Amino acid sequence: MSCKKIISNLNAYADGELSARRHRLTKAHLDNCAACRNRLEEMERLGAILAAGLPVPPVPPMLAARVMAAARKETADGRFFWPFINPLVWFREFSAPMRLAVSAATILAFVCGLSLNSGSNNAMINRSGANNLYGLEWFGANPPGSIGAAYIAMK
Amino acid sequence: MKEISDAELMRRAAAGGLGASNEIVLRHQSFVWAIACRFSGDPAEAEDITQETFCRLLKAAPRYRPTANLRTYLYRIISRICIDHARKKRPLPVNELPESADSSPGPAALMLAREQQAEIRRVINKLPPRQRLAVILKYYEDAPYADIAQALGVTVKAVEHLLSRARTTMNAELSHLREK
């Protein structure tokens, strides 16, 4: 291979992009040609300079939050708001066992609710009983322990 | 626990999954940020580029087909945005450069390193946007030619030419650094 041909391949050689055959041929030439080897070394030195060259500041805190806010704002159809009001979207994000557990819990809650509801249908609670039950007598004109209540009790 | 793949996260993001979208951003933000910073040399602009990249990625989630690595897909998006920014942008003054993360050497060495970084930044900023991107993807992301070609929408041979031209320019401009 001529020097001209090698030089045209040198970038791909330095970047490890040559086929095995072309890599072997180029390497054989480089072993015997100081001029081409110098070119390659020059390229490698440039790589070393660049490696130390462009530092990156740390990712700003909250960048992800700002990105997500921008993404939501940009989505005109509001698809990014949809999960907040649609539990099905959250559900789809769960793994299979999690979905199963959520489904089982929902069914169980539904069955429990039904059975409790059917049990309470026959319960008769009179008004004063209901007042006592919920502690509403404390909001009456003569709450327990007041002078009014004591007076009524004396009568 | 097994990590969810990028393809699966993209599928969930396409279905409107906020958690999945957030996870994609968290997973890839540092690499997008690094490319954006190195390309623009300006943290404020890098933040804009990062935001635009993820907005475009999440918008395109329903059309995403996991035939290629998500990173390759991101290279393509970020490349387009970087090139758009470079077209609109004013030249960057060197004193706007980001601070170096490395603070271990002494003051003299640190100053020399800062000078060297400023010099490299100046030279990189002089490169046309496509050459600059090719250099950043090759030297800092270690991307193969095929990925760079996809990112820039050119052939593999064209990437080789872009890198060759960029290296010729940088060699000429940075020859004094090589002699130090």
Side-chain angles (χ1 to χ4, degrees):
Chain A
M1 266 186 164
S2 66
C3 285
K4 199 178 166 194
K5 183 81 186 156
I6 291 295
I7 287 166
S8 73
N9 281 342
L10 216 49
N11 277 282
Y13 177 84
D15 293 330
E17 294 275 345
L18 283 184
S19 66
R21 189 182 145 271
R22 285 175 77 192
H23 183 94
R24 214 173 38 247
L25 288 172
T26 309
K27 191 172 180 315
H29 178 96
L30 286 168
D31 286 344
N32 297 306
C33 177
C36 289
R37 215 167 41 239
N38 278 347
R39 284 235 182 187
L40 179 68
E41 280 164 10
E42 204 171 64
M43 219 178 258
E44 284 166 352
R45 275 198 297 273
L46 177 68
I49 290 171
L50 289 180
L54 295 178
V56 175
V59 177
M62 305 300 288
L63 177 68
R66 284 200 290 275
V67 166
M68 286 303 290
R72 269 183 236 138
K73 207 171 152 191
E74 265 215 4
T75 310
D77 61 3
R79 189 158 30 83
F80 284 98
F81 289 114
W82 186 225
F84 287 122
I85 53 168
N86 186 357
L88 278 178
V89 173
W90 286 110
F91 186 76
R92 256 183 259 140
E93 283 199 52
F94 293 154
S95 59
M98 190 68 176
R99 282 185 201 181
L100 195 69
V102 169
S103 307
T106 310
I107 293 168
L108 193 68
F110 184 70
V111 170
C112 284
L114 270 184
S115 62
L116 283 175
N117 191 35
S118 64
S120 64
N121 272 347
N122 302 326
M124 296 294 287
I125 303 170
N126 65 29
R127 190 184 162 81
S128 66
N131 279 349
N132 287 340
L133 184 65
Y134 296 115
L136 294 177
E137 71 276 12
W138 289 94
F139 299 102
N142 301 301
S146 66
I147 295 171
Y151 178 73
I152 291 166
M154 277 163 53
K155 280 214 290 190
Chain B
M1 212 171 92
K2 200 182 153 200
E3 196 183 61
I4 303 168
S5 69
D6 284 338
E8 176 60 16
L9 283 176
M10 284 297 277
R11 193 190 64 73
R12 292 181 190 187
L18 197 68
S21 306
N22 203 37
E23 178 62 29
I24 290 170
V25 175
L26 286 172
R27 199 177 278 185
H28 296 286
Q29 63 172 354
S30 53
F31 121 87
V32 172
W33 167 253
I35 295 176
C37 272
R38 286 188 169 122
F39 182 86
S40 67
D42 174 8
E45 195 184 354
E47 197 166 326
D48 288 347
I49 293 173
T50 307
Q51 271 190 18
E52 280 179 49
T53 302
F54 283 111
C55 285
R56 225 177 269 186
L57 176 76
L58 295 174
K59 248 185 184 175
R63 296 190 303 277
Y64 174 73
R65 297 285 168 271
T67 47
N69 193 334
L70 183 65
R71 214 162 246 235
T72 314
Y73 196 64
L74 269 168
Y75 281 154
R76 207 180 319 164
I77 298 175
I78 196 172
S79 299
R80 282 182 200 159
I81 294 171
C82 283
I83 289 167
D84 281 354
H85 271 251
R87 278 190 195 130
K88 296 178 213 158
K89 199 187 159 191
R90 67 198 157 82
L92 180 77
V94 171
N95 59 9
E96 273 185 36
L97 292 170
E99 288 290 318
S100 166
D102 182 13
S103 57
S104 48
L110 195 67
M111 219 167 99
L112 197 70
R114 291 273 294 151
E115 271 175 27
Q116 187 169 325
Q117 283 161 9
E119 190 62 12
I120 293 166
R121 163 55 60 200
R122 185 186 64 77
V123 173
I124 293 237
N125 275 1
K126 271 173 94 174
L127 295 175
R130 278 171 193 276
Q131 285 183 30
R132 205 190 312 172
L133 260 171
V135 166
I136 289 167
L137 293 179
K138 185 68 236 169
Y139 279 102
Y140 299 101
E141 296 299 320
D142 201 21
Y145 282 7
D147 285 3
I148 303 175
Q150 266 201 16
L152 298 176
V154 295
T155 61
V156 169
K157 201 69 199 162
V159 171
E160 204 180 322
H161 286 311
L162 282 172
L163 281 169
S164 172
R165 282 201 296 273
R167 277 168 172 151
T168 306
T169 309
M170 290 191 295
N171 265 328
E173 297 266 349
L174 297 171
S175 55
H176 59 289
L177 290 184
R178 281 206 312 274
E179 282 146 21
K180 275 185 188 173

